[in-house]
């Protein structure tokens, strides 16, 4: 007898912590429990073929909003070719309306409700050895041999120390994101979030957490993404873990934390300030700055305090900050969202995610959707279409803003250029709103663009916004942005011609003095590993223009991967290079 735990991830680089945890809890039945991961980008027939050849007795799928339709189709087809295989489901997408799922999918025998580790451990003897009765196992919904549906309800949450560590064999996770949890549950009650359903906040013991963190550090894992819903809900625990990482930093591993920015205290901010650049990155959910909306969604958030904390962290220039907003929340109309956007944009995070409300089954938002006039897609991910405060047309405009922010802000490829354009508009939101409409009118939204084409489109936009004067000015900033990220092999036409004689003279007479670490390289090699560019405009904020910039690609910023740069005033260049 064999059980096949199956995950269908959104991307290849993702891994499914849930199915690995279930297998780790299988105890003496572990040899009979296999695990496979696929992605929603694979052809269903390919997955059908592999599962058919595996011929499991029990097939278990982990279900989420990104894969439930895919899995439903697999269940229907698999039952045709493997009629004796018994199919079970688990995960948030089937836990909150299990009876309805079983009624709609007669191919499915049962569903694991909520946390599955303890339930799976008790289910295995029944499934594989026929021991006991399914009716006596908590945390299950299933149909019996007479077709009657039993719903045992959610069971009490497990002690996290009982969940075995799943990463003993890192070869299984090569080129994949490592997910790790030190806690479950959430102390907050945000109405749009399923984490608010489980108020029973539990922590993995500090002894185990430290031992497991050491494992990641000793194996020099590139990134560990903690899935704790609010990592910093306990100040003593947060400080202890951050001190531990600070003391054991291996110079390579990055740790990603999802936190509440307004909960940070001064000692935690000072700890963050001591971190190696790139050791830690923070994801901070702001969602909205509208007080009426915050109250309605049961979210406690002190935005002035959050702003102060984010600004303090930003001044350290060593921690990547990712801030989130959600469009479509109650009492947030277009003007209100615009203000929320500008409030958060002013904090200058490395990334600003503009998301759209998902009306999730089991959430308070789902039960109050009709009250809010909230219409949403009937299929996953159940994204909002309109509300009492926001029309579908306005949401479409916000979608355009989202795409422009993703392409031009979050890419980090236009950090010099964007401030030039921002000054032409009343606020940052208006820039992205107008740019998105420019894309739509030109038919650019539906096209795939190269990186250089994105730069060219921005020049077109500048010309339409402020004429040739703005276009010419922006062009220099675009050239700076290009060479900050990449030592281009092919120079774009809009960058103009290089003063090759002056550049040769520089590399012959001065380059080695300005580039420590290049002593072993010849002049021609150094010129290929760096780049020298002249700018009339003050592209790097030096207080004046008319200078040269030397871009050093051996030395990069660990936060945005931009090249190190040195400014050489034009008069210094003339003097040093014999002119």
């Amino acid at each position: 007898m064999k059980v096949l735990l199956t995950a269908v991830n959104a991307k290849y680089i993702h891994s499914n912590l849930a199915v690995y945890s279930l297998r780790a809890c299988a105890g003496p039945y572990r040899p009979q429990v296999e695990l496979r991961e696929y992605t929603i980008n694979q052809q269903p027939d390919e997955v059908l073929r592999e599962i058919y050849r595996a011929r499991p007795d029990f097939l278990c799928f982990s279900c989420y909003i990104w894969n439930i339709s895919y899995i439903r189709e697999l269940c229907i087809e698999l039952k045709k070719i493997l009629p004796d295989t018994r199919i079970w489901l688990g995960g948030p997408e089937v836990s909150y309306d299990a009876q309805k799922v079983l009624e709609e999918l007669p191919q499915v025998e049962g569903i694991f409700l909520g946390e599955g580790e303890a339930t799976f451990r008790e289910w295995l003897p029944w499934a594989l050895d026929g021991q006991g009765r399914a009716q006596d196992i908590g945390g299950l919904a299933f149909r019996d041999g007479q077709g009657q549906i039993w719903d045992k309800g959610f069971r009490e949450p497990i002690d996290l120390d009982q969940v075995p560590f799943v990463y003993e064999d890192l070869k299984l996770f090569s080129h994949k994101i490592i997910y790790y949890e030190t806690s479950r549950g959430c102390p907050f009650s945000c109405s749009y979030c399923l984490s608010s359903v489980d108020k029973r906040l539990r922590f993995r013991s500090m002894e185990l957490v430290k031992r497991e963190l050491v494992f990641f550090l000793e194996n020099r894992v590139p990134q560990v993404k903690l899935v704790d819903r609010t990592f910093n809900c306990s100040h003593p625990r947060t400080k202890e873990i951050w001190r531990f990482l600070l003391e054991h930093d291996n110079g390579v591993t990055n740790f990603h934390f999802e936190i509440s920015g307004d909960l940070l205290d001064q000692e935690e901010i000072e700890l963050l300030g001591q971190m190696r650049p790139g050791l830690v990155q923070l994801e901070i959910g702001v969602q909205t700055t509208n007080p009426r909306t915050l109250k309605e969604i049961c979210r406690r958030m002190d935005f002035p305090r959050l702003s102060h904390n984010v600004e303090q962290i930003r001044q350290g220039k060593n921690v990547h900050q990712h801030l989130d907003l959600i469009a479509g929340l109650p009492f947030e109309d277009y003007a209100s969202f615009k203000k929320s956007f500008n409030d958060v944009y002013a904090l200058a995070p490395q990334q600003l995610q503009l998301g759209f409300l998902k009306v999730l089954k089991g959430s308070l938002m789902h039960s109050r959707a009709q009250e809010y006039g909230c219409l949403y897609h009937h299929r996953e991910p159940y994204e909002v279409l309109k509300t009492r405060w926001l029309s579908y047309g306005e949401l479409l405009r916000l979608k355009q803003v989202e795409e422009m922010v993703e392409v031009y802000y979050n890419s980090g490829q236009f950090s010099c250029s964007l401030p030039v354009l921002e000054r032409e508009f009343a606020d940052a939101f208006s820039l992205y709103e107008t740019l998105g409409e420019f894309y739509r009118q030109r038919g650019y939204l539906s096209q795939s663009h190269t990186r250089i084409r994105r730069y060219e489109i921005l020049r077109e936009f500048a010309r339409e916004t402020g004429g040739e004067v703005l276009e010419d000015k922006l062009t220099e900033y675009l050239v700076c942005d290009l060479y900050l990220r990449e030592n281009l092999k092919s120079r774009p036409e809009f960058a103009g011609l290089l003063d090759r004689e002056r550049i040769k003279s520089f590399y012959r007479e001065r380059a080695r003095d300005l580039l420590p670490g290049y002593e072993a390289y010849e002049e021609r090699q150094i010129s290929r590993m760096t780049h020298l560019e002249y700018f009339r405009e003050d592209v790097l904020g030096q207080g004046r223009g008319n200078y040269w910039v030397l871009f050093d690609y051996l030395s990069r910023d660990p936060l945005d991967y931009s090249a190190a740069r040195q400014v050489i005033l034009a008069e210094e260049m003339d003097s040093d290079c014999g002119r």
Side-chain angles (χ1 to χ4, degrees):
M1 298 284 283
K2 179 170 66 175
V3 175
L4 180 61
L5 294 172
T6 308
V8 183
N9 302 322
K11 297 180 180 179
Y12 172 77
I13 62 169
H14 296 170
S15 57
N16 186 303
L17 181 57
V19 293
Y20 285 96
S21 293
L22 291 180
R23 187 177 64 170
C25 288
Y29 291 94
R30 184 160 179 172
Q32 294 169 264
V33 178
E34 296 182 6
L35 188 153
R36 296 195 181 187
E37 290 188 278
Y38 304 99
T39 80
I40 57 174
N41 300 312
Q42 289 179 259
Q43 289 296 321
D45 280 347
E46 178 185 350
V47 180
L48 284 174
R49 183 170 62 246
E50 288 200 16
I51 293 176
Y52 173 79
R53 287 171 176 163
R55 295 184 180 274
D57 299 285
F58 288 86
L59 174 62
C60 303
F61 284 108
S62 183
C63 304
Y64 301 86
I65 57 175
W66 61 80
N67 67 17
I68 185 61
S69 288
Y70 192 102
I71 288 173
R72 280 174 173 266
E73 291 301 315
L74 285 177
C75 290
I76 293 170
E77 305 306 333
L78 280 164
K79 201 63 177 176
K80 297 174 184 176
I81 57 176
L82 292 173
D84 296 328
T85 294
R86 299 160 73 176
I87 301 175
W88 285 68
L89 308 179
E93 194 53 28
V94 293
S95 289
Y96 296 96
D97 59 349
Q99 183 161 334
K100 181 181 177 183
V101 173
L102 290 171
E103 290 170 352
E104 292 176 347
L105 285 175
Q107 298 83 3
V108 174
E109 179 179 8
I111 293 173
F112 295 90
L113 306 176
E115 288 185 345
E117 288 93 350
T119 302
F120 186 68
R121 185 185 295 130
E122 294 180 17
W123 175 85
L124 282 170
W126 169 81
L128 298 180
D129 289 338
Q131 297 178 17
R133 301 189 321 146
Q135 290 88 335
D136 297 330
I137 303 173
L140 292 181
F142 61 95
R143 69 179 92 248
D144 62 20
Q146 287 71 46
Q148 180 182 351
I149 292 179
W150 296 70
D151 189 337
K152 302 295 294 179
F154 288 68
R155 68 190 300 150
E156 286 299 305
I158 193 171
D159 176 352
L160 284 192
D161 282 7
Q162 295 180 22
V163 180
F165 187 59
V166 304
Y167 292 114
E168 295 171 351
D169 185 2
L170 284 175
K171 292 192 294 294
L172 299 173
F173 303 94
S174 178
H175 308 299
K176 293 195 173 187
I177 297 173
I178 297 291
Y179 296 100
Y180 177 64
E181 61 181 349
T182 73
S183 67
R184 284 185 188 172
C186 182
F188 303 113
S189 304
C190 303
S191 65
Y192 53 85
C193 182
L194 284 181
S195 296
S196 64
V197 175
D198 182 4
K199 286 288 185 301
R200 291 159 292 191
L201 183 61
R202 294 148 288 145
F203 298 101
R204 198 163 175 82
S205 68
M206 191 61 70
E207 178 186 357
L208 274 180
V209 168
K210 288 182 178 179
R211 186 188 312 158
E212 290 158 1
L213 291 175
V214 165
F215 176 84
F216 295 134
L217 291 163
E218 288 181 345
N219 284 278
R220 301 175 74 80
V221 172
Q223 184 182 57
V224 177
K225 203 162 188 176
L226 279 85
V227 295
D228 303 47
R229 301 313 300 159
T230 306
F231 174 79
N232 64 326
C233 59
S234 165
H235 290 296
R237 186 178 178 85
T238 299
K239 292 169 188 175
E240 186 170 355
I241 290 176
W242 282 354
R243 286 195 191 98
F244 184 83
L245 294 180
L246 186 61
E247 293 166 1
H248 295 81
D249 179 20
N250 61 10
V252 174
T253 305
N254 164 266
F255 292 88
H256 176 106
F257 300 95
E258 188 170 334
I259 69 164
S260 286
D262 57 325
L263 292 185
L264 291 168
D265 64 25
Q266 193 57 40
E267 187 177 354
E268 288 164 344
I269 292 172
E270 289 172 1
L271 268 174
L272 289 170
Q274 300 172 47
M275 302 286 190
R276 163 182 60 84
L279 172 58
V280 162
Q281 64 186 52
L282 304 177
E283 182 172 350
I284 301 172
V286 181
Q287 321 312 9
T288 177
T289 64
N290 182 326
R292 180 71 180 88
T293 301
L294 287 168
K295 181 179 180 181
E296 187 66 22
I297 63 175
C298 310
R299 183 174 178 80
R300 289 178 290 167
M301 193 261 291
D302 182 343
F303 185 69
R305 180 176 176 83
L306 181 148
S307 299
H308 174 74
N309 291 344
V310 168
E311 173 60 25
Q312 277 196 285
I313 295 169
R314 185 170 67 86
Q315 289 177 359
K317 299 180 179 180
N318 67 323
V319 175
H320 181 283
Q321 296 187 90
H322 173 135
L323 272 58
D324 297 333
L325 284 170
I326 296 178
L329 295 172
F331 293 97
E332 181 118 88
D333 60 15
Y334 195 83
S336 170
F337 186 83
K338 175 178 180 178
K339 182 181 184 303
S340 292
F341 179 96
N342 285 327
D343 289 341
V344 175
Y345 190 89
L347 301 178
Q350 276 74 27
Q351 279 200 298
L352 170 54
Q353 181 176 330
L354 197 172
F356 292 81
L357 177 66
K358 313 293 190 297
V359 184
L360 303 176
K361 289 180 287 186
S363 69
L364 179 60
M365 185 67 67
H366 184 270
S367 66
R368 301 185 69 178
Q370 187 173 359
E371 174 188 342
Y372 297 140
C374 182
L375 302 181
Y376 53 92
H377 285 278
H378 77 282
R379 291 185 59 178
E380 70 289 345
Y382 317 112
E383 189 171 281
V384 64
L385 291 168
K386 69 184 293 289
T387 71
R388 279 168 46 195
W389 302 273
L390 205 59
S391 70
Y392 179 62
E394 289 170 327
L395 274 167
L396 289 180
R397 288 163 64 188
L398 292 180
K399 285 283 186 180
Q400 292 175 184
V401 172
E402 175 200 25
E403 183 165 346
M404 295 303 98
V405 169
E406 196 64 30
V407 167
Y408 287 103
Y409 184 85
N410 289 341
S411 68
Q413 297 174 1
F414 300 86
S415 58
C416 297
S417 312
L418 287 175
V420 177
L421 290 174
E422 287 172 28
R423 291 191 286 270
E424 301 295 316
F425 293 85
D427 50 61
F429 182 88
S430 297
L431 162 60
Y432 294 101
E433 179 185 43
T434 308
L435 182 57
E437 188 61 18
F438 175 82
Y439 259 70
R440 186 188 70 80
Q441 292 176 357
R442 296 292 180 95
Y444 293 156
L445 287 175
S446 58
Q447 299 176 14
S448 178
H449 303 286
T450 65
R451 180 185 171 197
I452 295 298
R453 181 63 186 135
R454 297 285 191 189
Y455 282 77
E456 292 170 346
I457 291 173
L458 213 57
R459 291 179 71 237
E460 293 176 25
F461 178 70
R463 188 187 316 128
E464 183 165 297
T465 302
E468 292 184 2
V469 173
L470 180 59
E471 180 188 8
D472 289 344
K473 179 176 183 177
L474 182 70
T475 296
E476 289 214 350
Y477 288 83
L478 290 171
V479 172
C480 184
D481 277 327
L482 275 168
Y483 284 104
L484 273 172
R485 270 78 197 170
E486 184 180 352
N487 190 4
L488 298 173
K489 296 179 180 179
S490 178
R491 186 173 175 84
E493 184 178 343
F494 67 77
L497 300 175
L498 291 169
D499 186 345
R500 298 192 179 279
E501 290 305 316
R502 179 73 63 91
I503 292 171
K504 285 181 181 179
S505 177
F506 168 81
Y507 279 105
R508 183 173 59 250
E509 299 174 18
R510 193 176 179 193
R512 282 192 177 82
D513 296 333
L514 295 176
L515 292 167
Y518 283 83
E519 294 83 3
Y521 296 103
E522 297 178 356
E523 172 189 322
R524 181 174 293 182
Q525 290 175 306
I526 296 174
S527 68
R528 290 174 178 171
M529 298 163 66
T530 63
H531 179 75
L532 186 66
E533 186 80 31
Y534 170 72
F535 297 98
R536 294 167 299 167
E537 297 286 342
D538 184 14
V539 293
L540 294 179
Q542 302 296 302
R544 54 159 288 183
N546 191 29
Y547 51 70
W548 294 75
V549 177
L550 177 62
F551 299 92
D552 177 5
Y553 300 103
L554 285 188
S555 179
R556 290 183 177 270
D557 188 311
L559 294 189
D560 63 12
Y561 203 60
S562 62
R565 50 269 191 193
Q566 296 188 46
V567 172
I568 307 164
L569 298 178
E571 51 267 33
E572 293 179 11
M573 180 72 88
D574 291 343
S575 172
D576 292 344
C577 295
R579 293 203 180 188

